[in-house]
Amino acid sequence: MTKPNMLPPQIPTLNTARIETLADGVFAIVMTLLVFDIVVPAQQLTDELGGLLPALLTQIPNILSYVISFIILGVFWVAHHNQFFFIKRTDRTLMWINIIFLMCVSLVPFSAALFSSYGTDQVAVVFYDLNLIAVGLVLYAHWMYASRDSHLLESPINPEVKRTVIRRILLPPVLYIIAIIFSFISVEVSIFIDILVPVLYVLPNRIDRQFRAPRNEVME
Amino acid sequence: MTKPNMLPPQIPTLNTARIETLADGVFAIVMTLLVFDIVVPAQQLTDELGGLLPALLTQIPNILSYVISFIILGVFWVAHHNQFFFIKRTDRTLMWINIIFLMCVSLVPFSAALFSSYGTDQVAVVFYDLNLIAVGLVLYAHWMYASRDSHLLESPINPEVKRTVIRRILLPPVLYIIAIIFSFISVEVSIFIDILVPVLYVLPNRIDRQFRAPRNEVME
Amino acid sequence: MTKPNMLPPQIPTLNTARIETLADGVFAIVMTLLVFDIVVPAQQLTDELGGLLPALLTQIPNILSYVISFIILGVFWVAHHNQFFFIKRTDRTLMWINIIFLMCVSLVPFSAALFSSYGTDQVAVVFYDLNLIAVGLVLYAHWMYASRDSHLLESPINPEVKRTVIRRILLPPVLYIIAIIFSFISVEVSIFIDILVPVLYVLPNRIDRQFRAPRNEVME
Amino acid sequence: MTKPNMLPPQIPTLNTARIETLADGVFAIVMTLLVFDIVVPAQQLTDELGGLLPALLTQIPNILSYVISFIILGVFWVAHHNQFFFIKRTDRTLMWINIIFLMCVSLVPFSAALFSSYGTDQVAVVFYDLNLIAVGLVLYAHWMYASRDSHLLESPINPEVKRTVIRRILLPPVLYIIAIIFSFISVEVSIFIDILVPVLYVLPNRIDRQFRAPRNEVME
């Protein structure tokens, strides 16, 4: 504030609108591309299996992979969304953390395709887990950088809120690390954990109270 | 309002901008991906049929599927859009209902591809109908949750408007259930209903009066 | 205004933000999907032709088709954008005109792929022209409906501006109709017109003066 | 200002919101489409190589190409974003420069696919470099046009900021020209430069100070 500044001080600093638009665009595309893993059965397969219904049933692992990948991307989108509830300004570093974050997110359709093609192969499961760990850790770095000294925030964050957010962000990476460890014993347990994580996050929990909208008791 | 709140009360609650951006992104992509069902005829097919025109005519079912799927997605986009005419705030539950809604919407390109590949197979038609029923029911849940006690709304909704919106949301699922029932008798009737639904919705009707813009009689 | 209205009169009418977001999303995807027409030469082709450079040269018609389709989509995007300079409110009918407009726009990647695969076939050229005529005519309907009685506008439009906009919107369909007529004599002339249209539009012209930003002479 | 103007002077001139939305959409899609270069290994390849891990390792060049292309697109997105920190109005010419810019950006997935398929072929490397030079030069034209006489700007730009922005914009094209020159001696050196450019840009530097958000010392 006391240093000379080449820009007139009243010019607003970089806002977060375009980062959020880019992120929403990337999430929308990545989520939608997941559907390409589910393939329309070839006529030949349908003939072999004696009908479209049994042919469609071969797509169940792919549909399951679609659902859990879509939901875990939803988890990360909600988490990113919630961070920007507090973050109101951006700088170059935060933009780049976002781009790295989106680079990891954009890899998910590949990891999910690998997962649904090689479902029982430990390598595919571990790759999928590593991808989601990377997404989670970059999102953690995003929060740590942005919340560090509040210069990018609307107002200082209550330390308890800060800790709760951190716990929530770090939970998926921790669970995916556990999934990786278990994959050395049983790939099935590992897959079970991968299914469990999105389920855990869809259920409501403590941090929600922070975001609950106050009742609107007056009619405007 | 009387409970202690960790966030200063003047901080705005989560607004709906990013949900709407994500939804618009997903709809834009899903609508655009539908075009991949229409394929450029291979040179070999064109040679066999004696020209590009007869080869293109083989794509008519796919073009029809493109048009009806595009329009029914338009119906759901307009319905989603209209709900956010009333909804001004969001919470975690509403975000998750939206993500589940978008997960069902993103499945439509697959269902449409199945429908245009196996048009006369009951399984394909029923799958398509079930997908659209799911979209409709999640949209219904979206409205019931958001309009429940008006804490997410701009202002309380007139009960008659509420009922009209509900009737409009539930009509497509009901018609698609009828289409499924008819599919056991005749797949053709079932397909006819699937074509009819988007047509019904494009025509103007009662609820429109709610959204009609007042004439702007003054020049500002 | 004199009829009873179920919504409190002060509630704002449907704004155009989401239509514009959906349209921008569809245009962004359609423009980007055009690149899929340009294919990386297979190793076998490269070996046959004795190098990557001659193999790449086989893609020149596809690159040309990419450029002219991208630019004509840009023409329509700019025209759509300019209309919303005047349009400030929407109703159900305008939303549906937009969805039909986007349905025609989303078909362009298919038409462009057909055009670059069967470049010298009259059927492919006519299909491409018909697609762009449809886009232009729906955009014309959009403008006629919105500007009809100014209830969707910020303020009444100067009749001369209105006529100039109409002339600009109708010019591409007229040129594409001429291209179709010429296609019966010579497909090459027809393709030449298709290349000419985007070129004409990129050049600056009279209507631009309407949108020229006033100089900002004060430093705020 | 002294010429008669058909639009009432108080009507706001074309703002930049939709250009930015279109650009964000195109960038989001182009970035996401890059992932299609990384392919799930076919079962046959996995069997041949004796496992999924060695089969995945064949994708390392594609993953490297994904990362460097994603980041260089991030560089251009940030540069575009930063220009609109200063640009507040648009005219037809600027819209068309943007569309040409996006046309070059949309070609990147093709260039990147060519690069990862024919990594050691000079033609592929030069094509990739030429594509990115085109992106950089159009972005330079964008800045020169917009900053020329400040009629599209919020306020006049400090000449030093202007020069710094120009230096930053021109650096990648210059480096890619050097990469092309080196490609005649050694394709490896050329690829090394292509990897270096994104790395250089992710590191923080002088212009950042312009965009640094002032500390928020008051709690609102």
Side-chain angles (χ1 to χ4, degrees), chain C residues 20 24 29 32 35 38 41-43 46 52 66 70-71 75 80-81 85 168 201 208 210 214-216 220, chain D residues 6-7 11-14 18 21-22 26 29-30 89 92 96 99 102-103 106-107 110 113 118 121 149 153-154:
Chain C
E20 296 181 66
D24 289 347
I29 299 156
T32 314
V35 84
I38 312 175
Q43 187 64 54
T46 301
L52 184 54
Y66 169 77
F70 202 103
I71 291 182
V75 168
H80 190 256
H81 184 294
F85 178 75
R168 282 179 66 84
Y201 270 75
D208 293 343
Q210 293 305 314
R215 274 149 206 288
N216 180 9
E220 288 159 35
Chain D
M6 280 183 285
L7 291 178
I11 284 186
T13 50
L14 284 176
R18 284 194 68 183
T21 309
L22 185 74
V26 168
I29 299 156
V30 168
R89 278 175 291 279
R92 189 180 177 78
W96 276 106
I99 291 169
L102 296 177
M103 191 172 80
S106 290
L107 203 59
F110 170 71
Y118 291 91
D121 193 317
D149 60 359
L153 305 172
E154 173 88 62

Short mmCIF file of all heavy atoms in Angstrom, two decimals, chain C residues 20 24 29 32 35 38 41-43 46 52 66 70-71 75 80-81 85 168 201 208 210 214-216 220, chain D residues 6-7 11-14 18 21-22 26 29-30 89 92 96 99 102-103 106-107 110 113 118 121 149 153-154:
data_model
loop_
_atom_site.label_atom_id
_atom_site.label_comp_id
_atom_site.label_asym_id
_atom_site.label_seq_id
_atom_site.Cartn_x
_atom_site.Cartn_y
_atom_site.Cartn_z
N GLU C 20 -27.31 -16.82 -23.38
CA GLU C 20 -26.02 -16.42 -23.95
C GLU C 20 -24.92 -17.40 -23.52
O GLU C 20 -24.07 -17.77 -24.33
CB GLU C 20 -25.68 -14.99 -23.54
CG GLU C 20 -26.68 -13.99 -24.12
CD GLU C 20 -26.37 -12.54 -23.76
OE1 GLU C 20 -25.34 -12.02 -24.20
OE2 GLU C 20 -27.16 -11.94 -23.01
N ASP C 24 -22.87 -19.56 -26.13
CA ASP C 24 -21.40 -19.48 -26.17
C ASP C 24 -20.78 -20.85 -25.99
O ASP C 24 -19.79 -21.19 -26.65
CB ASP C 24 -20.89 -18.52 -25.07
CG ASP C 24 -21.22 -17.07 -25.40
OD1 ASP C 24 -21.62 -16.81 -26.55
OD2 ASP C 24 -21.10 -16.22 -24.51
N ILE C 29 -17.88 -25.34 -28.45
CA ILE C 29 -17.68 -26.77 -28.70
C ILE C 29 -17.71 -27.07 -30.20
O ILE C 29 -16.86 -27.79 -30.71
CB ILE C 29 -18.77 -27.59 -27.97
CG1 ILE C 29 -18.68 -27.35 -26.47
CG2 ILE C 29 -18.61 -29.07 -28.26
CD1 ILE C 29 -19.96 -27.61 -25.75
N THR C 32 -14.60 -25.98 -31.84
CA THR C 32 -13.47 -26.82 -31.47
C THR C 32 -13.55 -28.21 -32.10
O THR C 32 -12.53 -28.78 -32.49
CB THR C 32 -13.39 -26.94 -29.93
OG1 THR C 32 -13.56 -25.64 -29.37
CG2 THR C 32 -12.06 -27.49 -29.50
N VAL C 35 -11.97 -29.31 -35.57
CA VAL C 35 -10.58 -29.73 -35.74
C VAL C 35 -10.47 -31.24 -35.97
O VAL C 35 -9.49 -31.72 -36.52
CB VAL C 35 -9.71 -29.26 -34.55
CG1 VAL C 35 -9.80 -30.23 -33.39
CG2 VAL C 35 -8.27 -29.07 -34.98
N ILE C 38 -9.50 -32.70 -39.31
CA ILE C 38 -8.10 -32.75 -39.74
C ILE C 38 -7.47 -33.93 -39.02
O ILE C 38 -7.42 -33.95 -37.79
CB ILE C 38 -7.36 -31.45 -39.37
CG1 ILE C 38 -8.19 -30.22 -39.80
CG2 ILE C 38 -5.98 -31.41 -40.01
CD1 ILE C 38 -7.59 -28.90 -39.36
N PRO C 41 -1.93 -38.02 -40.18
CA PRO C 41 -1.73 -39.08 -41.18
C PRO C 41 -1.24 -40.37 -40.53
O PRO C 41 -0.40 -40.35 -39.63
CB PRO C 41 -0.64 -38.50 -42.10
CG PRO C 41 -0.63 -37.02 -41.84
CD PRO C 41 -1.08 -36.85 -40.42
N ALA C 42 -1.80 -41.50 -40.98
CA ALA C 42 -1.36 -42.81 -40.49
C ALA C 42 0.08 -43.05 -40.94
O ALA C 42 0.51 -42.57 -41.99
CB ALA C 42 -2.27 -43.90 -41.03
N GLN C 43 0.82 -43.79 -40.11
CA GLN C 43 2.22 -44.10 -40.42
C GLN C 43 2.34 -44.71 -41.82
O GLN C 43 3.26 -44.40 -42.58
CB GLN C 43 2.77 -45.07 -39.36
CG GLN C 43 4.26 -45.34 -39.45
CD GLN C 43 5.08 -44.08 -39.21
OE1 GLN C 43 4.92 -43.41 -38.21
NE2 GLN C 43 5.96 -43.74 -40.14
N THR C 46 2.23 -42.11 -44.54
CA THR C 46 3.48 -41.37 -44.52
C THR C 46 4.59 -42.16 -45.23
O THR C 46 5.36 -41.61 -46.02
CB THR C 46 3.89 -41.06 -43.07
OG1 THR C 46 2.84 -40.31 -42.46
CG2 THR C 46 5.18 -40.27 -43.00
N LEU C 52 6.40 -37.21 -43.99
CA LEU C 52 5.26 -36.62 -43.30
C LEU C 52 4.72 -35.40 -44.05
O LEU C 52 3.51 -35.14 -44.05
CB LEU C 52 5.66 -36.24 -41.86
CG LEU C 52 4.58 -35.69 -40.95
CD1 LEU C 52 3.38 -36.61 -40.88
CD2 LEU C 52 5.12 -35.46 -39.54
N TYR C 66 -11.91 -26.46 -42.42
CA TYR C 66 -11.84 -26.04 -41.00
C TYR C 66 -11.89 -24.52 -40.92
O TYR C 66 -12.68 -23.95 -40.16
CB TYR C 66 -10.55 -26.59 -40.38
CG TYR C 66 -10.20 -26.03 -39.01
CD1 TYR C 66 -10.86 -26.47 -37.88
CD2 TYR C 66 -9.19 -25.08 -38.86
CE1 TYR C 66 -10.53 -25.99 -36.63
CE2 TYR C 66 -8.85 -24.59 -37.61
CZ TYR C 66 -9.52 -25.04 -36.50
OH TYR C 66 -9.20 -24.54 -35.26
N PHE C 70 -15.02 -22.46 -39.48
CA PHE C 70 -14.76 -21.74 -38.22
C PHE C 70 -15.17 -20.28 -38.37
O PHE C 70 -15.83 -19.71 -37.50
CB PHE C 70 -13.27 -21.84 -37.87
CG PHE C 70 -12.97 -21.63 -36.42
CD1 PHE C 70 -12.68 -22.71 -35.59
CD2 PHE C 70 -12.95 -20.36 -35.86
CE1 PHE C 70 -12.40 -22.53 -34.25
CE2 PHE C 70 -12.68 -20.17 -34.50
CZ PHE C 70 -12.39 -21.26 -33.70
N ILE C 71 -14.79 -19.68 -39.51
CA ILE C 71 -15.07 -18.26 -39.69
C ILE C 71 -16.56 -18.01 -39.87
O ILE C 71 -17.12 -17.07 -39.31
CB ILE C 71 -14.24 -17.69 -40.85
CG1 ILE C 71 -12.76 -17.67 -40.41
CG2 ILE C 71 -14.69 -16.28 -41.22
CD1 ILE C 71 -11.81 -17.09 -41.43
N VAL C 75 -19.01 -15.66 -37.83
CA VAL C 75 -19.97 -14.68 -38.35
C VAL C 75 -21.29 -14.79 -37.61
O VAL C 75 -21.85 -13.79 -37.13
CB VAL C 75 -20.21 -14.90 -39.87
CG1 VAL C 75 -21.41 -14.10 -40.36
CG2 VAL C 75 -18.96 -14.56 -40.67
N HIS C 80 -25.24 -13.15 -33.48
CA HIS C 80 -26.02 -13.50 -32.30
C HIS C 80 -25.66 -12.57 -31.14
O HIS C 80 -26.53 -12.04 -30.45
CB HIS C 80 -25.70 -14.97 -31.94
CG HIS C 80 -26.60 -15.57 -30.90
ND1 HIS C 80 -26.20 -15.76 -29.61
CD2 HIS C 80 -27.89 -16.01 -30.97
CE1 HIS C 80 -27.19 -16.32 -28.93
NE2 HIS C 80 -28.22 -16.48 -29.72
N HIS C 81 -24.37 -12.38 -30.96
CA HIS C 81 -23.84 -11.48 -29.95
C HIS C 81 -24.42 -10.08 -30.13
O HIS C 81 -24.93 -9.45 -29.19
CB HIS C 81 -22.31 -11.48 -30.10
CG HIS C 81 -21.57 -10.69 -29.09
ND1 HIS C 81 -21.65 -9.33 -28.99
CD2 HIS C 81 -20.68 -11.06 -28.15
CE1 HIS C 81 -20.86 -8.90 -28.03
NE2 HIS C 81 -20.26 -9.93 -27.49
N PHE C 85 -27.02 -7.28 -27.94
CA PHE C 85 -26.73 -5.91 -27.58
C PHE C 85 -28.04 -5.15 -27.38
O PHE C 85 -28.16 -4.27 -26.54
CB PHE C 85 -25.90 -5.26 -28.70
CG PHE C 85 -25.56 -3.82 -28.49
CD1 PHE C 85 -24.58 -3.46 -27.59
CD2 PHE C 85 -26.23 -2.83 -29.20
CE1 PHE C 85 -24.26 -2.12 -27.41
CE2 PHE C 85 -25.90 -1.50 -29.02
CZ PHE C 85 -24.92 -1.14 -28.12
N ARG C 168 -27.98 -7.52 -43.11
CA ARG C 168 -26.78 -8.28 -42.77
C ARG C 168 -27.09 -9.75 -42.48
O ARG C 168 -26.33 -10.63 -42.83
CB ARG C 168 -26.10 -7.69 -41.54
CG ARG C 168 -25.29 -6.45 -41.84
CD ARG C 168 -24.67 -5.92 -40.58
NE ARG C 168 -23.67 -6.84 -40.05
CZ ARG C 168 -22.42 -6.88 -40.46
NH1 ARG C 168 -22.00 -6.05 -41.39
NH2 ARG C 168 -21.57 -7.73 -39.94
N TYR C 201 -17.49 -11.23 -44.66
CA TYR C 201 -17.97 -10.83 -43.35
C TYR C 201 -16.87 -10.38 -42.41
O TYR C 201 -17.12 -9.64 -41.46
CB TYR C 201 -18.81 -11.94 -42.73
CG TYR C 201 -20.23 -11.72 -43.13
CD1 TYR C 201 -20.64 -12.02 -44.42
CD2 TYR C 201 -21.12 -11.12 -42.25
CE1 TYR C 201 -21.92 -11.77 -44.81
CE2 TYR C 201 -22.40 -10.86 -42.64
CZ TYR C 201 -22.81 -11.20 -43.92
OH TYR C 201 -24.07 -10.91 -44.30
N ASP C 208 -20.83 -1.57 -38.25
CA ASP C 208 -19.83 -1.46 -37.20
C ASP C 208 -19.88 -0.13 -36.48
O ASP C 208 -19.62 -0.05 -35.29
CB ASP C 208 -18.42 -1.61 -37.77
CG ASP C 208 -18.20 -3.00 -38.29
OD1 ASP C 208 -18.99 -3.88 -37.92
OD2 ASP C 208 -17.26 -3.19 -39.06
N GLN C 210 -22.21 1.46 -35.50
CA GLN C 210 -23.17 1.39 -34.39
C GLN C 210 -22.52 0.87 -33.11
O GLN C 210 -22.94 1.19 -32.01
CB GLN C 210 -24.34 0.46 -34.74
CG GLN C 210 -25.19 0.98 -35.84
CD GLN C 210 -25.70 2.35 -35.53
OE1 GLN C 210 -26.15 2.60 -34.42
NE2 GLN C 210 -25.58 3.27 -36.47
N PRO C 214 -17.13 4.56 -27.82
CA PRO C 214 -16.71 5.95 -27.74
C PRO C 214 -15.33 6.03 -27.08
O PRO C 214 -15.00 5.21 -26.23
CB PRO C 214 -17.77 6.60 -26.85
CG PRO C 214 -18.35 5.49 -26.05
CD PRO C 214 -18.23 4.25 -26.91
N ARG C 215 -14.55 6.99 -27.50
CA ARG C 215 -13.24 7.13 -26.89
C ARG C 215 -13.37 7.47 -25.42
O ARG C 215 -14.25 8.19 -25.01
CB ARG C 215 -12.47 8.27 -27.57
CG ARG C 215 -11.74 7.82 -28.78
CD ARG C 215 -11.65 8.93 -29.80
NE ARG C 215 -11.53 8.34 -31.12
CZ ARG C 215 -10.42 7.73 -31.53
NH1 ARG C 215 -9.37 7.67 -30.75
NH2 ARG C 215 -10.38 7.19 -32.72
N ASN C 216 -12.49 6.93 -24.69
CA ASN C 216 -12.49 7.16 -23.25
C ASN C 216 -11.42 8.21 -22.97
O ASN C 216 -10.24 7.91 -22.93
CB ASN C 216 -12.17 5.84 -22.55
CG ASN C 216 -12.16 6.00 -21.06
OD1 ASN C 216 -12.54 7.05 -20.56
ND2 ASN C 216 -11.71 4.97 -20.37
N GLU C 220 -9.93 7.60 -15.16
CA GLU C 220 -10.74 7.49 -13.93
C GLU C 220 -9.85 7.29 -12.72
O GLU C 220 -8.97 6.45 -12.75
CB GLU C 220 -11.71 6.32 -14.06
CG GLU C 220 -12.81 6.63 -15.05
CD GLU C 220 -13.45 5.37 -15.58
OE1 GLU C 220 -13.55 4.42 -14.81
OE2 GLU C 220 -13.82 5.33 -16.76
N MET D 6 -26.81 7.12 -34.11
CA MET D 6 -28.17 6.59 -34.08
C MET D 6 -28.55 5.97 -32.75
O MET D 6 -29.72 5.87 -32.43
CB MET D 6 -28.35 5.58 -35.21
CG MET D 6 -28.60 6.26 -36.55
SD MET D 6 -28.89 5.05 -37.82
CE MET D 6 -27.25 4.44 -38.10
N LEU D 7 -27.58 5.54 -31.98
CA LEU D 7 -27.91 4.94 -30.70
C LEU D 7 -27.86 6.02 -29.61
O LEU D 7 -26.98 6.87 -29.64
CB LEU D 7 -26.87 3.87 -30.32
CG LEU D 7 -26.86 2.60 -31.16
CD1 LEU D 7 -25.75 1.70 -30.68
CD2 LEU D 7 -28.20 1.90 -31.06
N ILE D 11 -26.52 4.31 -23.97
CA ILE D 11 -26.50 2.85 -24.10
C ILE D 11 -25.05 2.37 -24.02
O ILE D 11 -24.18 2.88 -24.71
CB ILE D 11 -27.14 2.39 -25.42
CG1 ILE D 11 -28.66 2.51 -25.30
CG2 ILE D 11 -26.76 0.95 -25.75
CD1 ILE D 11 -29.42 1.96 -26.47
N PRO D 12 -24.78 1.40 -23.16
CA PRO D 12 -23.40 0.95 -23.01
C PRO D 12 -22.90 0.31 -24.30
O PRO D 12 -23.65 -0.33 -25.02
CB PRO D 12 -23.48 -0.08 -21.88
CG PRO D 12 -24.90 -0.55 -21.89
CD PRO D 12 -25.72 0.61 -22.37
N THR D 13 -21.64 0.49 -24.59
CA THR D 13 -21.05 -0.14 -25.78
C THR D 13 -20.85 -1.62 -25.51
O THR D 13 -20.97 -2.08 -24.38
CB THR D 13 -19.71 0.51 -26.10
OG1 THR D 13 -18.96 0.53 -24.89
CG2 THR D 13 -19.90 1.91 -26.62
N LEU D 14 -20.56 -2.37 -26.56
CA LEU D 14 -20.38 -3.82 -26.44
C LEU D 14 -19.35 -4.14 -25.37
O LEU D 14 -18.21 -3.69 -25.44
CB LEU D 14 -19.91 -4.39 -27.77
CG LEU D 14 -20.96 -4.54 -28.86
CD1 LEU D 14 -20.29 -5.03 -30.14
CD2 LEU D 14 -22.06 -5.48 -28.46
N ARG D 18 -18.99 -11.68 -23.35
CA ARG D 18 -19.21 -12.87 -24.18
C ARG D 18 -17.95 -13.33 -24.89
O ARG D 18 -17.75 -14.52 -25.10
CB ARG D 18 -20.35 -12.64 -25.17
CG ARG D 18 -21.69 -12.73 -24.43
CD ARG D 18 -22.84 -12.84 -25.36
NE ARG D 18 -22.85 -14.10 -26.07
CZ ARG D 18 -23.75 -14.39 -27.01
NH1 ARG D 18 -24.68 -13.48 -27.33
NH2 ARG D 18 -23.72 -15.55 -27.61
N THR D 21 -16.31 -15.37 -22.34
CA THR D 21 -16.98 -16.66 -22.15
C THR D 21 -16.64 -17.61 -23.30
O THR D 21 -16.34 -18.78 -23.08
CB THR D 21 -18.51 -16.47 -22.08
OG1 THR D 21 -18.81 -15.46 -21.14
CG2 THR D 21 -19.20 -17.77 -21.68
N LEU D 22 -16.70 -17.10 -24.53
CA LEU D 22 -16.39 -17.95 -25.69
C LEU D 22 -14.94 -18.44 -25.59
O LEU D 22 -14.66 -19.63 -25.80
CB LEU D 22 -16.59 -17.16 -26.99
CG LEU D 22 -16.42 -17.98 -28.27
CD1 LEU D 22 -17.61 -18.90 -28.49
CD2 LEU D 22 -16.22 -17.09 -29.50
N VAL D 26 -13.64 -22.26 -25.35
CA VAL D 26 -12.73 -22.88 -26.31
C VAL D 26 -11.49 -23.41 -25.60
O VAL D 26 -11.07 -24.56 -25.82
CB VAL D 26 -12.34 -21.89 -27.44
CG1 VAL D 26 -11.19 -22.42 -28.26
CG2 VAL D 26 -13.54 -21.60 -28.33
N ILE D 29 -12.30 -26.61 -23.68
CA ILE D 29 -12.49 -27.79 -24.53
C ILE D 29 -11.16 -28.25 -25.12
O ILE D 29 -10.83 -29.44 -25.10
CB ILE D 29 -13.49 -27.48 -25.66
CG1 ILE D 29 -14.84 -27.11 -25.05
CG2 ILE D 29 -13.66 -28.68 -26.58
CD1 ILE D 29 -15.68 -26.26 -25.96
N VAL D 30 -10.39 -27.29 -25.63
CA VAL D 30 -9.11 -27.64 -26.25
C VAL D 30 -8.20 -28.32 -25.23
O VAL D 30 -7.60 -29.37 -25.51
CB VAL D 30 -8.45 -26.39 -26.86
CG1 VAL D 30 -7.02 -26.66 -27.25
CG2 VAL D 30 -9.24 -25.91 -28.06
N ARG D 89 -13.94 -2.77 -23.31
CA ARG D 89 -14.94 -2.63 -24.35
C ARG D 89 -14.44 -3.35 -25.58
O ARG D 89 -13.24 -3.61 -25.72
CB ARG D 89 -15.15 -1.15 -24.68
CG ARG D 89 -16.09 -0.45 -23.72
CD ARG D 89 -16.18 1.03 -24.01
NE ARG D 89 -14.94 1.72 -23.69
CZ ARG D 89 -14.58 2.11 -22.48
NH1 ARG D 89 -15.39 1.90 -21.45
NH2 ARG D 89 -13.43 2.70 -22.26
N ARG D 92 -16.03 -4.59 -33.44
CA ARG D 92 -16.07 -5.70 -34.37
C ARG D 92 -14.68 -6.25 -34.68
O ARG D 92 -14.46 -7.46 -34.71
CB ARG D 92 -16.73 -5.21 -35.65
CG ARG D 92 -17.03 -6.30 -36.62
CD ARG D 92 -17.68 -5.69 -37.87
NE ARG D 92 -17.91 -6.72 -38.83
CZ ARG D 92 -18.91 -7.58 -38.75
NH1 ARG D 92 -19.77 -7.49 -37.77
NH2 ARG D 92 -19.05 -8.52 -39.66
N TRP D 96 -13.19 -10.06 -34.12
CA TRP D 96 -12.64 -10.92 -35.17
C TRP D 96 -11.21 -11.34 -34.88
O TRP D 96 -10.82 -12.48 -35.18
CB TRP D 96 -12.78 -10.26 -36.55
CG TRP D 96 -14.14 -10.54 -37.07
CD1 TRP D 96 -15.19 -9.68 -37.16
CD2 TRP D 96 -14.62 -11.82 -37.49
NE1 TRP D 96 -16.30 -10.33 -37.62
CE2 TRP D 96 -15.99 -11.65 -37.84
CE3 TRP D 96 -14.06 -13.09 -37.61
CZ2 TRP D 96 -16.76 -12.70 -38.30
CZ3 TRP D 96 -14.83 -14.13 -38.07
CH2 TRP D 96 -16.18 -13.93 -38.40
N ILE D 99 -11.66 -14.23 -32.69
CA ILE D 99 -12.09 -15.45 -33.37
C ILE D 99 -10.91 -16.10 -34.09
O ILE D 99 -10.74 -17.33 -34.05
CB ILE D 99 -13.28 -15.16 -34.31
CG1 ILE D 99 -14.51 -14.81 -33.46
CG2 ILE D 99 -13.59 -16.35 -35.21
CD1 ILE D 99 -15.67 -14.23 -34.24
N LEU D 102 -8.84 -17.77 -31.52
CA LEU D 102 -9.42 -19.03 -31.07
C LEU D 102 -9.29 -20.11 -32.15
O LEU D 102 -9.16 -21.30 -31.83
CB LEU D 102 -10.88 -18.84 -30.66
CG LEU D 102 -11.06 -17.91 -29.46
CD1 LEU D 102 -12.54 -17.72 -29.16
CD2 LEU D 102 -10.34 -18.44 -28.21
N MET D 103 -9.31 -19.69 -33.42
CA MET D 103 -9.13 -20.66 -34.51
C MET D 103 -7.73 -21.27 -34.44
O MET D 103 -7.57 -22.49 -34.66
CB MET D 103 -9.34 -19.96 -35.86
CG MET D 103 -9.45 -20.90 -37.02
SD MET D 103 -9.92 -20.02 -38.53
CE MET D 103 -8.31 -19.35 -39.00
N SER D 106 -7.67 -23.62 -31.35
CA SER D 106 -8.40 -24.87 -31.58
C SER D 106 -7.62 -25.86 -32.42
O SER D 106 -7.95 -27.05 -32.47
CB SER D 106 -9.73 -24.60 -32.29
OG SER D 106 -10.61 -23.94 -31.44
N LEU D 107 -6.59 -25.38 -33.11
CA LEU D 107 -5.78 -26.26 -33.93
C LEU D 107 -4.74 -27.01 -33.07
O LEU D 107 -4.17 -28.02 -33.52
CB LEU D 107 -5.07 -25.43 -35.01
CG LEU D 107 -4.61 -26.14 -36.27
CD1 LEU D 107 -5.75 -26.80 -36.98
CD2 LEU D 107 -3.90 -25.16 -37.21
N PHE D 110 -4.74 -30.85 -32.71
CA PHE D 110 -4.22 -31.53 -33.89
C PHE D 110 -2.69 -31.49 -33.88
O PHE D 110 -2.03 -32.52 -34.05
CB PHE D 110 -4.76 -30.90 -35.17
CG PHE D 110 -4.08 -31.41 -36.41
CD1 PHE D 110 -4.29 -32.70 -36.85
CD2 PHE D 110 -3.19 -30.60 -37.11
CE1 PHE D 110 -3.64 -33.19 -37.98
CE2 PHE D 110 -2.53 -31.07 -38.23
CZ PHE D 110 -2.75 -32.37 -38.68
N ALA D 113 -1.32 -33.78 -31.32
CA ALA D 113 -1.46 -35.19 -31.71
C ALA D 113 -0.39 -35.55 -32.74
O ALA D 113 0.22 -36.63 -32.67
CB ALA D 113 -2.85 -35.44 -32.27
N TYR D 118 4.48 -38.29 -34.18
CA TYR D 118 5.69 -38.22 -35.01
C TYR D 118 6.74 -37.39 -34.30
O TYR D 118 7.33 -36.48 -34.89
CB TYR D 118 5.36 -37.58 -36.36
CG TYR D 118 4.50 -38.41 -37.27
CD1 TYR D 118 3.12 -38.31 -37.24
CD2 TYR D 118 5.09 -39.31 -38.17
CE1 TYR D 118 2.33 -39.08 -38.10
CE2 TYR D 118 4.30 -40.08 -39.02
CZ TYR D 118 2.92 -39.95 -38.97
OH TYR D 118 2.15 -40.71 -39.82
N ASP D 121 10.11 -36.50 -35.84
CA ASP D 121 10.10 -36.02 -37.22
C ASP D 121 10.11 -34.49 -37.22
O ASP D 121 9.26 -33.86 -36.61
CB ASP D 121 8.84 -36.56 -37.92
CG ASP D 121 8.89 -36.37 -39.43
OD1 ASP D 121 9.31 -35.28 -39.88
OD2 ASP D 121 8.54 -37.31 -40.15
N ASP D 149 -5.08 3.12 -28.91
CA ASP D 149 -5.43 4.48 -28.50
C ASP D 149 -6.44 4.49 -27.35
O ASP D 149 -7.19 5.41 -27.17
CB ASP D 149 -5.95 5.30 -29.68
CG ASP D 149 -7.20 4.67 -30.28
OD1 ASP D 149 -7.62 3.62 -29.77
OD2 ASP D 149 -7.74 5.22 -31.24
N LEU D 153 -10.12 0.67 -23.60
CA LEU D 153 -9.55 0.39 -22.29
C LEU D 153 -10.32 1.08 -21.18
O LEU D 153 -11.04 2.06 -21.41
CB LEU D 153 -8.10 0.87 -22.26
CG LEU D 153 -7.18 0.32 -23.35
CD1 LEU D 153 -5.85 1.04 -23.31
CD2 LEU D 153 -7.00 -1.17 -23.18
N GLU D 154 -10.11 0.57 -20.00
CA GLU D 154 -10.68 1.19 -18.80
C GLU D 154 -10.05 2.57 -18.62
O GLU D 154 -10.72 3.56 -18.39
CB GLU D 154 -10.36 0.28 -17.60
CG GLU D 154 -10.71 0.82 -16.24
CD GLU D 154 -12.14 0.44 -15.91
OE1 GLU D 154 -12.45 -0.76 -15.83
OE2 GLU D 154 -12.95 1.36 -15.74
#
